């Protein structure tokens, strides 16, 4: 079966009629595979995103889609009540003929949602206004979900941001050394292990009751926002697979890791990698404008640490995957995960140099926003 024949078959299972007139692959995500499709039926064109979910990463499709459908319905209700354009501001999934929001074809799980027109995404951001608006969007997303019943959400990936556990998995992978790569990575491995204690701060604050658990997105990479082509405003947060109870520091932190970096996530020229303080400031402004009033002081004081933590955790995850033989993240060449780990370590070093300044920026902007 060709790709198009498969897409036609899958779309048929979701009741999509007509002729497939266009299809293309989206290459952005490291986990799922996404296809854009256009169908013509009765003279009308309809556009969909068809997604093959990575079932190695997401083990329970019922739990995964129950979370997503329930969260998107909750968002739709709020957006509708506020008079917002919910069709563009939240994802709308199609139900398959089996009554579920996914369809299994062999081992693969498929889902479909309506394509949102006239939007774009960014993998790298060097525009302060756009990045400030990204902060506003993720802050707003957090606010919209602030009264969502978190206890009803299933853990789609257990211990997703349990950084200490991620370090144990790295240590295991290093000692098992199944693909004999450990000797290549001793420098990176030791660098990360030296920071073990600092990596436990986030969860220990939670355990001590100093920061609250919230409903968080947990994958706030900058390419997970759709920007409107006309207004350049962030209109919709996507990639909802990891919405689970978590810390506000994760969502703030992962956007900084991915968006305030002056280079790509897998840049190999270390001299290009740094944390941009102007971009950091812009994001912080947008984020705190949306949610400063809902955050506790202890959370505010640890937002910059959240950027450190997410960068550290990403380096740990990429290095672990390299040691395990690239079983989790999609790669484009054999050393890709090692390059990603090296690049995140370079960013981490720069964040460490700038952490005091980053904390000052957060506190200054927080004072401004709460005094308004
Ligand atoms: C993955 O699928 P994507 O590319 O949006 C990963 C994130 C990582 C990110 C690193 C479910 O996100 O946790 O931070 O790659 N998603 C999952 O680029 O593991
Ligand atoms: Mg994504």
């Amino acid at each position: 079966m060709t790709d198009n024949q498969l897409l036609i078959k899958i779309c048929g299972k979701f009741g999509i009629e007509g002729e497939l007139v266009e299809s293309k692959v989206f290459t952005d995500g490291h986990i799922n595979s996404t296809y854009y499709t256009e169908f013509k039926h009765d003279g009308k064109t309809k556009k969909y995103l068809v997604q093959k979910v990575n079932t190695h990463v997401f083990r329970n499709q019922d739990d995964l889609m129950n979370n997503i459908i329930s969260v998107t319905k909750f968002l739709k209700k709020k957006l509708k009540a506020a008079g917002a354009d919910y069709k563009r501001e939240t994802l709308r999934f199609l139900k398959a003929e089996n009554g579920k929001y996914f369809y299994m074809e062999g081992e693969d799980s498929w889902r479909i949602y309506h394509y949102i027109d006239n939007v774009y995404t960014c993998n790298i951001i060097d525009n302060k206004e756009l990045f400030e608006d990204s902060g506003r969007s993720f802050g707003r997303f957090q606010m919209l979900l602030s009264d969502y019943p978190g206890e009803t959400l299933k853990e789609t990936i257990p211990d997703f941001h349990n950084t200490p556990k991620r370090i144990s998995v790295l240590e295991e992978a290093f000692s098992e050394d199944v693909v004999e790569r450990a000797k290549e990575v001793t420098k990176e491995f030791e660098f990360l292990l030296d920071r073990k204690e600092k990596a436990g701060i986030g969860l220990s604050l939670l355990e001590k009751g100093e920061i609250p658990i919230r409903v968080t997105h947990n994958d706030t990479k900058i390419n997970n926002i759709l920007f409107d082509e006309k207004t350049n405003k962030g209109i919709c947060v996507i990639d909802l697979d990891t919405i689970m109870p978590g810390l506000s520091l994760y969502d703030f932190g992962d956007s900084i890791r991915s968006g305030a970096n002056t280079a790509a996530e897998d840049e190999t020229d270390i001299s290009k990698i740094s944390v941009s303080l102007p971009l950091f400031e812009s994001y912080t402004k947008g984020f705190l404008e949306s949610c400063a009033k809902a955050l506790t002081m202890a959370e505010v004081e640890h937002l910059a640490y959240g950027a450190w933590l997410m960068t550290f955790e990403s380096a740990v995850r990429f290095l672990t995957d390299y040691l395990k033989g690239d079983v989790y993240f999609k790669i484009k060449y054999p050393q890709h995960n090692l390059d990603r780990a090296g690049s995140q370590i370079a960013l981490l070093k720069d964040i460490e140099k700038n952490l005091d300044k980053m904390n000052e920026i957060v506190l200054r902007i927080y004072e401004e926003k709460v005094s308004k």
Side-chain angles (χ1 to χ4, degrees):
M1 217 185 309
T2 65
D3 276 2
N4 273 353
Q5 281 170 335
L6 180 62
L7 285 174
I8 292 167
K9 178 176 178 192
I10 302 297
C11 290
K13 301 287 177 192
F14 287 80
I16 297 175
E17 294 175 311
E19 185 196 348
L20 177 68
V21 289
E22 204 186 320
S23 73
K24 60 180 181 226
V25 181
F26 277 21
T27 53
D28 276 355
H30 291 352
I31 309 292
N32 297 327
S33 305
T34 309
Y35 305 83
Y36 167 83
T37 60
E38 252 179 64
F39 282 81
K40 225 178 195 146
H41 182 58
D42 278 349
K44 280 193 198 136
T45 304
K46 291 206 169 161
K47 303 171 181 183
Y48 304 96
L49 284 183
V50 182
Q51 229 171 14
K52 183 164 84 179
V53 175
N54 183 329
T55 48
H56 171 72
V57 169
F58 297 104
R59 300 295 175 110
N60 186 325
Q61 302 307 308
D62 281 298
D63 284 354
L64 178 72
M65 290 316 289
N66 284 344
N67 276 4
I68 293 182
I69 295 302
S70 147
V71 165
T72 48
K73 281 189 176 156
F74 182 89
L75 291 172
K76 175 180 164 183
K77 213 164 144 193
K78 281 206 170 173
L79 291 167
K80 244 180 146 175
D85 184 358
Y86 74 89
K87 286 193 176 169
R88 287 175 67 69
E89 296 183 27
T90 189
L91 298 178
R92 292 179 304 131
F93 289 84
L94 273 65
K95 207 182 242 181
E97 63 187 19
N98 59 10
K100 296 185 181 224
Y101 285 90
F102 65 92
Y103 163 74
M104 296 298 298
E105 168 81 7
E107 302 270 285
D108 298 329
S109 173
W110 292 84
R111 66 184 176 204
I112 302 185
Y113 46 100
H114 292 277
Y115 181 73
I116 301 175
D117 241 326
N118 306 115
V119 291
Y120 62 96
T121 56
C122 304
N123 279 315
I124 293 192
I125 284 202
D126 54 8
N127 173 323
K128 287 208 289 184
E129 284 74 40
L130 220 53
F131 199 40
E132 181 174 331
D133 205 61
S134 311
R136 210 169 279 123
S137 301
F138 279 127
R140 191 186 326 125
F141 189 78
Q142 182 139 337
M143 284 303 283
L144 282 169
L145 292 178
S146 59
D147 54 347
Y148 185 90
E151 66 287 355
T152 62
L153 286 171
K154 294 283 171 14
E155 226 183 342
T156 54
I157 302 180
D159 293 314
F160 190 57
H161 284 314
N162 184 337
T163 320
K165 189 118 183 223
R166 296 252 181 217
I167 301 173
S168 307
V169 178
L170 171 64
E171 287 178 293
E172 237 172 69
F174 188 84
S175 64
E176 284 173 7
D177 197 16
V178 285
V179 285
E180 296 179 3
R181 285 172 163 176
K183 58 182 178 311
E184 269 176 71
V185 308
T186 44
K187 219 172 63 217
E188 289 83 355
F189 180 69
E190 278 161 17
F191 176 90
L192 294 171
L193 281 202
D194 280 348
R195 283 149 177 82
K196 207 170 176 173
E197 213 171 302
K198 187 163 176 171
I201 295 177
L203 280 182
S204 78
L205 287 169
L206 175 70
E207 275 156 24
K208 285 186 275 176
E210 289 178 23
I211 53 175
I213 191 92
R214 299 183 181 275
V215 173
T216 45
H217 181 281
N218 296 307
D219 184 10
T220 51
K221 204 155 99 174
I222 218 59
N223 67 8
N224 284 332
I225 295 187
L226 304 181
F227 293 98
D228 187 289
E229 270 174 12
K230 278 202 204 105
T231 62
N232 294 316
K233 296 281 175 221
I235 56 161
C236 186
V237 169
I238 60 169
D239 250 14
L240 309 177
D241 298 313
T242 51
I243 294 185
M244 288 182 275
L247 306 184
S248 55
L249 324 189
Y250 302 153
D251 281 3
F252 179 86
D254 203 53
S255 290
I256 299 302
R257 172 193 78 80
S258 56
N261 186 352
T262 50
E265 184 183 70
D266 55 358
E267 176 60 59
T268 50
D269 179 352
I270 301 296
S271 69
K272 291 187 181 156
I273 303 169
S274 64
V275 57
S276 155
L277 293 181
L279 282 176
F280 177 79
E281 174 154 354
S282 302
Y283 187 91
T284 306
K285 271 188 195 152
F287 188 78
L288 289 181
E289 187 178 304
S290 294
C291 68
K293 294 202 166 92
L295 297 180
T296 67
M297 201 56 213
E299 284 176 298
V300 174
E301 283 166 356
H302 289 89
L303 288 179
Y305 165 77
W308 181 92
L309 184 66
M310 288 297 97
T311 309
F312 173 86
E313 190 185 277
S314 299
V316 168
R317 293 175 65 194
F318 289 138
L319 195 64
T320 304
D321 203 31
Y322 185 68
L323 286 167
K324 287 188 167 185
D326 311 308
V327 292
Y328 189 92
F329 295 107
K330 285 186 201 164
I331 50 163
K332 294 197 176 122
Y333 56 93
Q335 305 289 304
H336 204 169
N337 273 318
L338 181 57
D339 287 348
R340 287 170 175 152
S343 174
Q344 296 295 292
I345 287 176
L347 179 63
L348 193 67
K349 287 181 183 164
D350 200 51
I351 291 180
E352 289 181 351
K353 273 194 219 143
N354 286 288
L355 204 55
D356 287 344
K357 285 188 204 142
M358 290 162 72
N359 275 317
E360 279 165 28
I361 293 172
V362 173
L363 288 177
R364 172 167 50 76
I365 295 173
Y366 177 74
E367 297 299 334
E368 279 165 28
K369 299 290 176 200
V370 290
S371 64
K372 265 191 190 159

